Amino acid sequence: MEDYKLHLFPYLDSARLKTLSCGHVIPKENLIVWPLSRSSNGIDFDFTYEKRSLPVVINALGVALLELARAIPDGLVAFFPSYAYLELVISVWKRHQSSKPSIWEQLQKLKPIFEEQKGTTSVDDVLEQYSAAINGKSGGKGALLLSVVGGKMSEGINFSDRLGRGVVIVGLPFPNIQSPEWKAKLEYTEQQTVSRGGSVAEGKTAARALYENACMRAVNQSIGRAIRHQADYAAIVMLDRRYHAQRIQEKLPTWIRKGLVKDAAAKEFAQAVDSIRCFFGAKR
């Protein structure tokens, strides 16, 4: 909201602007939200640009999805920060390690996998196949949909009821800070803050807030795809150590923050899986 105040009403004192926020229709007990920073084998979920391409991180992500797929019934939607990163992850998961099945093969055995592809396959075709795998006669295992934050699946498409019992957000989908557009936005924000009497440090803080807000709006939009009516329920899992930061959690909507598991940073991945399994057990 601060972004809109800054860009739409830079000439007004912020104290003169009143905002109204409405809650969600679902009861608190219909949502469980786990921010997780470490895998079951102790690998940090560090999906910063410098670390996210490491095979050890990508394999830890695959093992985490395997464990979550066993605990979450029906449809599970995983959102990745970009199409390029999703392609890289899939290529690593398909590699065989010694005589073991690949992570991709293990995931396929648990739930049939569907993938959002940039500009090639019709979204309607993928959604139809994904829905049929969940709601059809052989839908006992559910399905796994690999999608992209800011992609076609994250905007305007509903994963209500069985289509989205679980949503996994992989990393934080920050925009490209080196792009001309974002360089201009951040520079403008810093200049506007200083022109209104703020310090240079306050200008940089405002620019960082703008950048983080853009990222979290995309995250919130993706999460919201799974909760579409009052009786709906879902588990939300956010995989990245940065989701434990207070300033990041404060950018989640109130209805999502109410579902956050207390002291999640101090808990192990196995505890999260057990908690999610119990959450769905209570819904049967």
Side-chain angles (χ1 to χ4, degrees), residues 8-41:
L8 296 178
F9 307 103
Y11 51 88
L12 284 179
D13 183 347
S14 61
R16 295 180 58 190
L17 294 172
K18 304 297 181 184
T19 60
L20 175 66
S21 177
C22 299
H24 206 285
V25 295
I26 64 164
K28 179 182 175 181
E29 58 270 18
N30 279 20
L31 186 70
I32 184 170
V33 183
W34 273 95
L36 293 169
S37 60
R38 191 174 293 108
S39 70
S40 56
N41 56 352

Side-chain angles (χ1 to χ4, degrees), residues 72-77 111 130 134 142-144 162-167:
I72 297 173
D74 301 320
L76 174 59
V77 185
K111 293 179 184 287
Y130 174 71
I134 295 168
L144 171 62
R162 296 181 66 198
L163 296 184
R165 288 298 180 219
V167 171

Side-chain angles (χ1 to χ4, degrees), residues 114 122-136 153 163:
F114 300 89
S122 166
V123 172
D124 291 339
D125 290 344
V126 175
L127 280 176
E128 185 177 346
Q129 294 166 23
Y130 174 71
S131 301
I134 295 168
N135 296 320
M153 299 286 189
L163 296 184

Side-chain angles (χ1 to χ4, degrees), residues 42 57 85 109 120 126 145 218 242 245:
V57 174
Y85 187 60
K109 199 170 183 179
T120 55
V126 175
L145 177 61
R242 292 170 291 178

Side-chain angles (χ1 to χ4, degrees), residues 144-200:
L144 171 62
L145 177 61
L146 306 178
S147 188
V148 173
V149 174
K152 299 171 185 175
M153 299 286 189
S154 69
E155 299 176 357
I157 292 176
N158 298 336
F159 296 107
S160 60
D161 300 313
R162 296 181 66 198
L163 296 184
R165 288 298 180 219
V167 171
V168 177
I169 306 291
V170 179
L172 280 85
F174 284 106
N176 181 5
I177 200 170
Q178 298 301 325
S179 71
E181 177 187 1
W182 268 99
K183 283 184 177 180
K185 283 182 178 181
L186 298 178
E187 183 180 348
Y188 172 80
T189 301
E190 290 184 28
Q191 291 173 348
Q192 284 293 104
T193 302
V194 172
S195 69
R196 292 197 304 273
S199 65
V200 173

